[in-house]
Structures are given as structure tokens and as C-alpha cells.
């Protein structure tokens, strides 16, 4: 048995009007193959380039181990120079990743290597973020807490991406008080005996290569596996509707703080409870015993 996935469509030379009508307004994912064709980054951005221009910058890196007990859920595994991390990534498979690394704050000279696309939407220009991963590293199935519309530009390497729309949440074993699916589930090789609801979910997949730009609509779930060492940039367009802004505030201020408090008070018991509830609620909603 396999996940029910179809290929994410690819387009070239799409106009602003076509993008808005066919993808942004209906909130459908698409790969825009030529969106970065005239960026310096398209030609320059690889690991050797970043080692030269940002090698001395100290960066946080994260591993694939789920937080346990009273550990913070987003604590880095270590901090090291970017050049040292690049050496690790190039040496062979590793689960160490950089994510959500703000280029504007940490490497402002790299901003000149790209520009914000003319797509008829407003970008949040204070948060261009870099994602880097080694071969075999994976990103747990999740959606972004700020409910941004994301434009994910891949440069060095290849990565596999699986997407699910918000309406598929009921099949994905969402962990209560969080924005993630159960971390124990490997979406690259799911166990349908333990997690049968996944077989009912209908999603999308693609392998992103050099120059591909993936539009990930707001609140869409995404899982990523780095097939080779990979370096990517995400530009974000934040939600503007009052309903979504309220949802963001609720997640950031109430749910996250409550979850952090319960982690401190109950430790691993809280994590185990949430995972158990994710299974119970998912199966109950679908009539699965």
C-alpha cells in the first residue's frame, strides 16, 4: 500500500493574473519553474559559494530526534560555523538541518542575490529564510504556525516534498495543541497497520531540483526528505484576513504557551498523552477501532 499522491503541477512563464486566478486564490500548490530564472542566486548559490561568503557565521543546526520530557520542542542540537556545517553536509548522510535561518539578520549581503516576484501579492520582506539539510534528513509533517503562503526556492540538490490540503487534516494524526503530525510517523515509509487513516488522505508530491519554486498555500501540510544535500530559500506572504489573523494569534499566544507550560509541568507524560489523543481522535472521526 502507498500514499494516495498525485504530482504537483509544473508551469513555465505564468503571468501574474494566471497565478492569482489558477493557484493563489483557490489555494492550490504549483511549481513555478522559471520564477527565479534571472536571479543571481540561480547561478551562484551552492555550498561552495555560501562557504566563501558566510562561512564564519555561527548557525544553529537541528537533528531529527523528537523532543523528550521537558526538552524544548525547537531547541538546536548544536551551534557551529556555517563552513563547518557545510563540511558535515558534504561528507555524507546526516540528519542535521538548518531551518528558518533569517538571511536579512544574519547574512544581509546575500539579499542582493534574489528579488521578490511580481505575482500580485504582498511579501513579508523582513523574513527571507534559508533551509539547508544533509542527505537523508527529514522534516516532520507540519503546517506553518503563522499560516503564511510560502514560496520555496530550491537551489543546490534535490528534495522530495509531500503536501496535503487543510481538509485532509482529519487523516494526518494531528497532535493536539500543535501544528505537527505524530513525529514517530515516517511519511516516507508509513506503517498503514498502525496508522490506517493515512491511506485515506489525498495529497501531492514532487521532487524539487535546481531552480524549482514551489508555492505552498496557507495552512497546507508539508513533509520534506532531503534526497541529496540541499539548500533552499523561502519567501513568505502573511495572511491578511481577520479570521486567519485571529487563528495565528490563538496558535502563537495561547496554544503554544499552554503546550510549553504543560511540557514543563508534566514532561514526557504530556507528550505521550498528546500522541495517544492524536490516534484516538483520528480513528474516532473516521469510525476506525
Amino acid at each position: 500500500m502507498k500514499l494516495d499522491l498525485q504530482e504537483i503541477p509544473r508551469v513555465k512563464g505564468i503571468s501574474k493574473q494566471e497565478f492569482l486566478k489558477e493557484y493563489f486564490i483557490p489555494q492550490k500548490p504549483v511549481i513555478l519553474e522559471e520564477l527565479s530564472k534571472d536571479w543571481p542566486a540561480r547561478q551562484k548559490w551552492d555550498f561552495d559559494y555560501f562557504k566563501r561568503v558566510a562561512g564564519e557565521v555561527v548557525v544553529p543546526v537541528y537533528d531529527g530526534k523528537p523532543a523528550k520530557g521537558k526538552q524544548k520542542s525547537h531547541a538546536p542540537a548544536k551551534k557551529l560555523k556555517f563552513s563547518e556545517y557545510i563540511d558535515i553536509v558534504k561528507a555524507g548522510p546526516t540528519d542535521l538541518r538548518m531551518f528558518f535561518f533569517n538571511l536579512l539578520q544574519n547574512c544581509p549581503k546575500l539579499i542582493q542575490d534574489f528579488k521578490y516576484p511580481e505575482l500580485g501579492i504582498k511579501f513579508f520582506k523582513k523574513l527571507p529564510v534559508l533551509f539547508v539539510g544533509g542527505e537523508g534528513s527529514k522534516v516532520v509533517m507540519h503546517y506553518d504556525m503563522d499560516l503564511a503562503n510560502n514560496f520555496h526556492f530550491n537551489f543546490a540538490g534535490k528534495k522530495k516534498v509531500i503536501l496535503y490540503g487543510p481538509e485532509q487534516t482529519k487523516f494526518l494524526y494531528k497532535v493536539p495543541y500543535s501544528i505537527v503530525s505524530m513525529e514517530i510517523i515516517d511519511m516516507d515509509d508509513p506503517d498503514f497497520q498502525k496508522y490506517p487513516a493515512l491511506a485515506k488522505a489525498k495529497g501531492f508530491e514532487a521532487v524539487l531540483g535546481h531552480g524549482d519554486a514551489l508555492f505552498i498555500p496557507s495552512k497546507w501540510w508539508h513533509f520534506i526528505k532531503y534526497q541529496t544535500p540541499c539548500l533552499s530559500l523561502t519567501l513568505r506572504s502573511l495572511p491578511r484576513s481577520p479570521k486567519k489573523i485571529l487563528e495565528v494569534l490563538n496558535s502563537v499566544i495561547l496554544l503554544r504557551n499552554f503546550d510549553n507550560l504543560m511540557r514543563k509541568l508534566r514532561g514526557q507524560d504530556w507528550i505521550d498523552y498528546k500522541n495517544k489523543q492524536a490516534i484516538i481522535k483520528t480513528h474516532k472521526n473516521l469510525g476506525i477501532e
Side-chain angles (χ1 to χ4, degrees):
M1 185 180 296
K2 294 183 179 180
L3 294 170
D4 186 353
L5 303 172
Q6 59 180 290
E7 286 290 319
I8 300 172
R10 291 174 171 267
V11 299
K12 294 181 179 180
I14 192 170
S15 70
K16 173 174 66 178
Q17 292 77 17
E18 289 173 325
F19 172 72
L20 290 173
K21 180 181 178 181
E22 296 181 21
Y23 299 104
F24 189 80
I25 293 174
Q27 293 283 275
K28 295 180 179 180
V30 64
I31 296 172
L32 306 160
E33 294 184 345
E34 297 181 345
L35 199 57
S36 65
K37 65 179 181 180
D38 58 348
W39 292 8
R42 181 111 171 201
Q43 286 73 44
K44 295 162 61 176
W45 281 22
D46 58 23
F47 288 105
D48 291 336
Y49 177 71
F50 271 77
K51 199 169 184 178
R52 290 196 307 272
V53 303
E56 294 301 307
V57 177
V58 176
V59 300
V61 296
Y62 302 79
D63 59 27
K65 299 174 183 176
K68 295 182 179 179
K70 297 183 180 182
Q71 293 177 342
K72 292 184 178 180
S73 58
H74 299 294
K78 62 177 72 176
K79 293 184 179 181
L80 67 173
K81 289 183 178 180
F82 204 161
S83 59
E84 296 172 340
Y85 172 58
I86 290 173
D87 288 340
I88 293 172
V89 166
K90 293 177 71 174
T94 176
D95 68 345
L96 293 177
R97 297 180 292 110
M98 280 175 61
F99 76 91
F100 223 82
F101 186 73
N102 191 324
L103 287 182
L104 186 61
Q105 291 181 352
N106 297 286
C107 305
K109 57 187 174 183
L110 291 171
I111 303 301
Q112 63 189 359
D113 287 346
F114 65 87
K115 61 183 180 180
Y116 289 86
E118 297 290 337
L119 290 172
I121 63 173
K122 185 176 182 180
F123 285 94
F124 184 58
K125 296 184 178 181
K126 294 183 178 180
L127 203 58
V129 288
L130 190 70
F131 294 84
V132 186
E135 179 185 343
S137 60
K138 299 177 183 180
V139 182
V140 66
M141 180 66 75
H142 71 287
Y143 63 88
D144 289 3
M145 183 173 287
D146 63 4
L147 304 187
N149 290 285
N150 290 333
F151 295 80
H152 190 68
F153 296 83
N154 192 56
F155 295 105
K158 291 185 177 181
K159 59 173 60 172
K160 174 184 176 181
V161 180
I162 295 176
L163 300 180
Y164 289 101
E167 76 283 355
Q168 301 297 310
T169 299
K170 61 187 177 182
F171 303 118
L172 300 179
Y173 296 89
K174 180 183 181 296
V175 177
Y177 309 104
S178 78
I179 55 167
V180 302
S181 177
M182 294 176 63
E183 293 188 53
I184 195 172
I185 298 176
D186 181 3
M187 295 300 295
D188 192 46
D189 185 23
D191 185 336
F192 292 104
Q193 293 293 324
K194 290 184 178 180
Y195 311 108
L198 293 175
K200 298 179 179 293
K202 298 183 183 299
F204 297 82
E205 67 176 339
V207 174
L208 302 182
H210 176 74
D212 285 339
L214 171 62
F215 168 56
I216 305 176
S218 173
K219 208 175 179 179
W220 273 60
W221 293 83
H222 40 288
F223 164 86
I224 295 172
K225 179 182 179 181
Y226 289 76
Q227 295 185 334
T228 70
C230 215
L231 186 151
S232 309
L233 169 74
T234 292
L235 304 180
R236 309 166 74 75
S237 175
L238 298 181
R240 305 181 73 179
S241 72
K243 181 181 179 181
K244 282 200 171 182
I245 291 173
L246 286 175
E247 187 174 351
V248 172
L249 292 174
N250 179 65
S251 295
V252 173
I253 297 174
L254 297 179
L255 292 184
R256 185 167 65 175
N257 287 331
F258 175 74
D259 186 49
N260 288 336
L261 175 63
M262 294 302 291
R263 278 178 178 268
K264 290 180 181 179
L265 294 176
R266 296 183 57 188
Q268 188 63 37
D269 286 345
W270 175 244
I271 297 173
D272 293 342
Y273 166 78
K274 291 197 301 176
N275 284 331
K276 184 177 180 180
Q277 287 300 306
I279 295 175
I280 291 173
K281 290 184 177 180
T282 300
H283 291 177
K284 182 178 180 180
N285 289 338
L286 299 174
I288 299 174
E289 297 296 333

